[in-house]
Amino acid sequence: MSDERAMLQAVPRRHTHRDAFEPGPLPGGLLAWLQDDAIAEGSTLAAVGGGPAYERLTAILAAWSRWRDLYPASPAEIRTRAETLRWTRAANSEARDGVPAHAFPAPAGSAAGRLPQRDFDLGRRWGFPPSGGPPAPVTAVLVAEGDDELSWLRAGQALQRILLRAASHWVFARLQTQPLQSASVRAQIRSNLRATGSPQLLLELGLARTTHPTGRRLAEELTGRQESR
């Protein structure tokens, strides 16, 4: 089977994973393959190894999380909360977009030494009970060449390719963008990785052989094309 066909067949099951991963490493050679995919799209997938590098990353994000909790009424946090409320769905929702209740934990949080997770539940107890589990075998940062529109586009293309390649091997990702909205956090992560470019996204990658479908809008709703009846 060609690479493109395998990735195409993975489209229906590709999803953001917010529960525990299965124990064990990624399939052999997959991380290097994902890094090659990022390079092919003009970006970099920088793996954060264990030990001091991972500890520094968790410290950076923990400090950001504490600052966020100290200033819940800041304009940025008000916008984030409003966006979360608008795009999360209760269990009985028939919406074909947004984040359904079965796709996020209630409550969100972070164990000591783990990356803090975004709170999609916001105290409503809509989500599933978090099941803990082992840490993700791979933590990585998607880094764009620059911080302009072309670099953002290329990073988005790299992300799509990475996620589909991973899903074709039943590997999924927890994604985080919220902390990287801070220029200070981006600068600290770039220094921690000793990388050039602009960090765009945090990924935690691991095996998860169960998947729940999420709502998808019709293609014509997204393209604006409506066929005449």
Side-chain angles (χ1 to χ4, degrees), residues 124-182:
R124 295 169 293 181
R125 300 287 174 177
W126 284 2
F128 59 81
S131 55
V138 170
T139 298
V141 182
L142 182 62
V143 182
E145 286 187 346
D147 201 14
D148 52 54
E149 291 184 357
L150 180 58
S151 296
W152 301 337
L153 174 63
R154 288 175 173 167
Q157 292 175 168
L159 177 63
Q160 176 76 345
R161 188 161 171 166
I162 288 166
L163 295 179
L164 288 178
R165 174 86 66 196
S168 71
H169 293 269
W170 291 96
V171 169
F172 300 94
R174 276 197 294 260
L175 306 174
Q176 286 210 62
T177 58
Q178 190 182 5
L180 277 78
Q181 294 172 12
S182 164

Side-chain angles (χ1 to χ4, degrees), residues 59-74:
I60 291 167
L61 297 187
W64 166 83
S65 184
R66 288 193 297 270
W67 181 92
R68 179 194 57 186
D69 293 342
L70 283 172
Y71 299 98
S74 69

